[in-house]
Each structure stands twice: as C-alpha cells, then as structure tokens.
Amino acid sequence: MEYDFLYDKGHHLLDDRLQRQRAAARLGVLRSAGFGSRLCTFVAIAQGQLPQESWFALGRLLTASGGEPILLSWSGSMFEYLMPLLVMPTYENTLIDRTCKAAVGRQIEYGKQRGVPWGMSESGYNMVDVRLNYQYRAFGVPGLGLKRGLASDLVVAPYASVLALMGGPEEACRNLQRLGEKKLIGNTDFTRPSTTPLHVNDAGNRVRLSGLSWRITRA
C-alpha cells in the first residue's frame, strides 16, 4: 500500500482527509498514540514508507485513572486501546503499556459503577437502518474518550474481555466466567453483546469478532 496520498509532510502524520470535515478535537485524537493510528504508523515505518519522526509526532493527550496516566482515545472503547497489541509489540512500563493496563482497570471500575460485567467496546446493537441492517458503533467508558454521550448507552461486548486478556488476564478470565454464569453470552461463543437496553444478535458482527478472539487466544 502506498501512503503518499495520506502523508502530511508538515506534521509528519498520516492525514485522513475525510476527518477534516469533522470536529478538530476528534481529528487530534485520531492522530493520537492511544488510537489505532499508532498501528498504521508503526506498519508504515516498518515498511520504510514513513520516517521514524512520524512515531514521535503522534499526539499524546493524557488523562489519569487510579493515579495512572492514560492516553485519551475517541470513544474509550477496549478495541481502540488493545487491538493494536495483536500485531505490534509493547514494552513494560512504557506509556502505552501503562495506558493499556490502566484502561482495563478503568473499564473494571466503570462496570462496578453501573452494576454490570465490564467490557465496553465497538459492537452491533439493537437499531436498524431502512434495509433492516443492524447498526454498529463504538461504545466506551466516560473519562477515557472525548466523544460526548458515552454514559448514555450501556453495551457490554464479551469480546472486549477477550481483548483484555492482553492487559489483565486474571481479571478478564473472571469477567468471562461472570458473563457465562449470567448467561450473557451465546451458547457457542463469547462475541454476542449483552446490552442494556440495546440488545442485538448480529451474526455478521459475531463472525468478525470470533476471528479476532481466535487470534488472541492463540497468540
């Protein structure tokens, strides 16, 4: 893949031109080291298509939880923080390592606050378009994301706990057991979301997340 058409030479960053029409705050987060842009930048540098300066040019907007620094994301979802770990290394006590662990901790805390198993992330949910296709969007934790209204809807995605095996394995296993005990997962997988009140049984979404979960458990 060629990255030239996306590369902003002035800022040493990949630039999604579609995002220029959106809020400046969101564009700033999409260029953050706490978002998936770090994965794309990492791969492009490894391929020799971007200079190493691009890594250090990524934004580092910070907040804190439990005394730990956390890189802000857009929606505060588990997917945003932990998905890049599937294919790129992390190192103990670095900012990204501490961010990922603290994000899991904040998710656990938020689940306790809402009285539900934790694990908020991108998911299908019980809303359809004019063609009766289930909708899919990011759900996350207030305080981790800049997106407004994160506390308005509560969706628990079991695959988020599978992702969390890379950031807090013991806690993730306990949460998966809790989901199973409460029958908040399907009979055959841990990818069906349990939602309050937006429940959905979306086969297409489950296929994608089953693949992701398979990759993690065999890493």
Side-chain angles (χ1 to χ4, degrees):
M1 174 178 174
E2 297 294 332
Y3 296 88
D4 291 349
F5 72 103
L6 291 173
Y7 186 56
D8 181 344
K9 295 181 179 179
H11 295 91
H12 299 291
L13 290 166
L14 294 174
D15 181 14
D16 183 349
R17 285 159 174 76
L18 294 176
Q19 300 300 335
R20 290 183 180 180
Q21 302 175 6
R22 304 183 182 180
R26 180 171 187 181
L27 178 57
V29 173
L30 290 176
R31 288 176 163 184
S32 170
F35 192 67
S37 56
R38 80 176 190 260
L39 173 58
C40 187
T41 301
F42 177 84
V43 171
I45 292 173
Q47 293 176 335
Q49 296 199 45
L50 289 183
Q52 292 186 15
E53 287 81 2
S54 295
W55 180 260
F56 299 101
L58 288 170
R60 286 163 174 79
L61 297 175
L62 291 174
T63 185
S65 178
E68 287 293 325
I70 303 180
L71 288 163
L72 281 169
S73 68
W74 173 244
S75 66
S77 70
M78 197 74 82
F79 185 84
E80 284 178 301
Y81 284 105
L82 299 183
M83 178 277 294
L85 299 184
L86 288 171
V87 295
M88 64 181 294
T90 186
Y91 300 95
E92 191 172 0
N93 292 323
T94 60
L95 179 58
I96 289 178
D97 175 65
R98 295 174 69 182
T99 287
C100 292
K101 292 176 180 177
V104 172
R106 174 61 184 137
Q107 288 252 353
I108 294 172
E109 179 184 8
Y110 187 64
K112 291 178 180 178
Q113 291 174 356
R114 300 295 296 265
V116 298
W118 52 273
M120 293 73 188
S121 197
E122 282 86 342
S123 179
Y125 62 105
N126 194 21
M127 184 176 291
V128 296
D129 60 17
V130 294
R131 298 180 181 274
L132 301 181
N133 296 310
Y134 282 113
Q135 300 302 286
Y136 180 96
R137 67 177 173 88
F139 298 90
V141 175
L144 294 183
L146 289 179
K147 182 181 179 182
R148 295 181 179 179
L150 290 176
S152 299
D153 298 316
L154 183 60
V155 173
V156 179
Y159 86 91
S161 294
V162 179
L163 276 173
L165 289 169
M166 299 183 292
E170 294 182 3
E171 295 87 349
C173 286
R174 285 195 291 267
N175 200 51
L176 287 168
Q177 289 175 344
R178 183 182 179 191
L179 287 165
E181 291 168 357
K182 290 182 175 292
K183 301 186 185 301
L184 296 178
I185 57 173
N187 294 327
T188 59
D189 58 55
F190 283 90
T191 61
R192 298 183 185 183
S194 170
T195 65
T196 308
L198 305 175
H199 179 71
V200 69
N201 187 0
D202 181 1
N205 184 41
R206 293 203 310 275
V207 170
R208 172 177 175 266
L209 300 180
S210 291
L212 183 148
S213 300
W214 182 89
R215 172 67 179 84
I216 294 169
T217 56
R218 283 156 180 79

